[in-house]
Amino acid sequence: MTDKKYDSGFSFYIPLVLLAAFLLGCLSVALISVRENVLQITYSSEVSASDSVKNKKNVRKSPVYDDSGLKYRMVSASDLNIQKEEDVKKTSAEPVSSEDDTDSDSSEVSSDVSSQPAQDVSSEPVVSDEAEPDGLILPNDQYINFTPHKEGYVAYLTFDDGPSEYTEDILDILDYYNVKATFFVIYHKDMADKYKAIVDRGHTIALHTYTHDYKKIYRSEKAFFNEIDRIQNYVYRVTGTRSRIIRFPGGSSNTVSRHYSEGIMDRLKKSVPARGFVYHDWNVDSCDAEAYNMAPEKLLANVQKSLTKYRKPDILMHDAGESKRTTVEALPAIIEYVYSQGYSMEGLQLDSYAVHHNW
Ligand code: ZN
């Protein structure tokens, strides 16, 4: 009996002891994990703070390459190392007869500029010494922050023939530099989202005919406006914007069209404005249409050759897929160069200065 009593008494305490041990274990685990959490929070906040400092530094060095997820090798003016300040000065110091033409033309259409008190910009050299200490090219966003903008100097980046598989990348680059551009589009199947992205991201969408097929579009005035109506309606359907800004395939000076209808360009140059459209040629040619993926260095050099002759340069480039990959690669350098010369970059509007070829 006593043994039994003893046995049952002992077995009564076992669960209590186990329970107490279990509770003690739980308490210590909880304490340890709280302590670790506190440490972890402290540690991670230190890490993220130092990371963000580090990232900021990286962003300054090669932001487009590191952060945007672009799949192309990005070049900047400093990478290309072909900007020579003396060359630029020589170009801008040349007597530029065309600038006078540009100015007199632009004064009547650019109300935004003419409403400002007249700036003494014509006598200033276009190259700004203070923006380029020791002739160095400052990388990327430093241009944007420190290059003084010259009143009335506006560059229009224009991309013809798109959209393409590169449109998003072009838009990312434009966004990064916070500049606006103009896309003269034609019809491409299954790319509705790209037309829409152009508009949604604040750029100008403009018309470059539906098919870009010279023998169709330049057969007659009727055929041309049919092409314009079709692309205008399509763009309106997918973007909600009804554009009245046109660029003729080949430009207003093209000579190919006469094979399809003699004198068609002369007639169109009159009937286009008569129907409420404006047309834009270009005065700075990147020449990216002249070769399959022309080297980015060459594209930049082509822009540098004539940009500073004009207060309102209209720079021709193409958003045309695989054959124009290098245009995307050169774009950061081109934008940085244009900035370095004191220009802002805007999308074309109906009342913007319109470059017209007169040859
Ligand atoms: Zn074209």
Side-chain angles (χ1 to χ4, degrees):
M1 277 297 280
T2 50
D3 282 355
K4 254 189 183 175
K5 259 188 184 172
Y6 177 82
D7 283 348
S8 65
F10 182 73
S11 58
F12 174 72
Y13 284 110
I14 287 174
L16 282 180
V17 170
L18 285 175
L19 184 66
F22 175 70
L23 288 174
L24 206 65
C26 286
L27 189 66
S28 56
V29 166
L31 279 173
I32 287 166
S33 79
V34 164
R35 184 171 174 274
E36 274 176 1
N37 275 346
V38 169
L39 284 177
Q40 185 127 28
I41 289 163
T42 317
Y43 175 67
S44 66
S45 67
E46 278 168 11
V47 168
S48 65
S50 71
D51 262 359
S52 75
V53 169
K54 208 169 75 187
N55 284 341
K56 231 179 189 169
K57 279 185 188 158
N58 287 341
V59 163
R60 286 203 165 268
K61 279 184 181 159
S62 53
V64 177
Y65 189 81
D66 283 342
D67 294 335
S68 69
L70 295 174
K71 48 188 177 288
Y72 310 105
R73 180 179 67 91
M74 286 300 157
V75 289
S76 73
S78 47
D79 292 336
L80 294 173
N81 198 27
I82 60 171
Q83 152 118 15
K84 295 191 183 85
E85 195 172 305
E86 314 87 85
D87 290 352
V88 176
K89 274 186 170 160
K90 212 161 57 184
T91 312
S92 61
E94 282 170 10
V96 281
S97 55
S98 49
E99 186 174 0
D100 294 336
D101 297 344
T102 307
D103 291 345
S104 58
D105 285 342
S106 64
S107 61
E108 68 177 273
V109 282
S110 304
S111 54
D112 55 335
V113 175
S114 56
S115 63
Q116 305 276 344
Q119 300 284 319
D120 184 24
V121 283
S122 53
S123 59
E124 288 174 19
V126 174
V127 172
S128 161
D129 287 336
E130 62 269 33
E132 297 173 350
D134 305 324
L136 293 173
I137 303 298
L138 300 173
N140 298 322
D141 54 344
Q142 294 185 27
Y143 262 148
I144 295 162
N145 294 333
F146 302 121
T147 303
H149 169 62
K150 290 180 185 295
E151 191 64 44
Y153 282 64
V154 182
Y156 300 105
L157 305 170
T158 64
F159 297 92
D160 289 10
D161 301 356
S164 75
E165 68 264 34
Y166 294 147
T167 304
E168 295 280 349
D169 294 329
I170 292 172
L171 293 173
D172 286 346
I173 294 168
L174 297 172
D175 269 2
Y176 172 72
Y177 288 100
N178 194 24
V179 298
K180 297 292 182 250
T182 302
F183 293 77
F184 288 95
V185 298
I186 61 175
Y187 173 73
H188 289 285
K189 204 167 167 244
D190 299 331
M191 290 204 174
D193 57 326
K194 299 191 195 300
Y195 298 88
K196 193 159 176 357
I198 290 169
V199 172
D200 288 351
R201 291 164 77 166
H203 304 284
T204 298
I205 200 157
L207 313 171
H208 196 43
T209 74
Y210 192 82
T211 64
H212 205 285
D213 181 347
Y214 283 36
K215 71 174 180 299
K216 281 186 188 163
I217 60 185
Y218 291 134
R219 200 172 46 199
S220 67
E221 278 182 89
K222 192 177 170 209
F224 179 83
F225 284 107
N226 180 41
E227 284 266 338
I228 290 295
D229 284 350
R230 286 180 77 193
I231 189 64
Q232 188 193 46
N233 287 335
Y234 178 74
V235 167
Y236 178 67
R237 187 146 50 86
V238 294
T239 70
T241 295
R242 193 173 284 285
S243 175
R244 287 192 282 140
I245 300 174
I246 287 177
R247 175 167 285 157
F248 296 111
S252 70
S253 56
N254 84 80
T255 52
V256 183
S257 56
R258 73 169 62 126
H259 298 302
Y260 308 106
S261 176
E262 184 63 42
I264 182 80
M265 295 318 299
D266 287 338
R267 296 197 295 281
L268 287 175
K269 282 193 273 185
K270 287 179 189 141
S271 51
V272 159
R275 291 186 182 221
F277 294 96
V278 294
Y279 72 90
H280 290 258
D281 290 318
W282 57 89
N283 51 13
V284 176
D285 192 349
S286 70
C287 300
D288 64 348
E290 288 179 10
Y292 189 95
N293 282 327
M294 186 179 280
E297 292 87 347
K298 274 190 162 181
L299 298 174
L300 175 62
N302 290 334
V303 171
Q304 288 177 320
K305 215 156 47 188
S306 54
L307 181 91
T308 53
K309 291 179 184 174
Y310 307 101
R311 285 176 183 232
K312 302 230 162 120
D314 186 317
I315 305 167
L316 175 66
M317 290 173 280
H318 290 82
D319 171 20
E322 183 47 39
S323 67
K324 300 292 171 276
R325 179 178 44 78
T326 51
T327 303
V328 188
E329 291 178 355
L331 187 56
I334 290 173
I335 292 173
E336 288 173 21
Y337 176 72
V338 174
Y339 254 122
S340 75
Q341 304 306 307
Y343 297 91
S344 64
M345 278 160 268
E346 298 173 8
L348 288 167
Q349 307 301 322
L350 263 181
D351 61 350
S352 298
Y353 169 65
V355 174
H356 286 173
H357 293 165
N358 292 311
W359 62 79

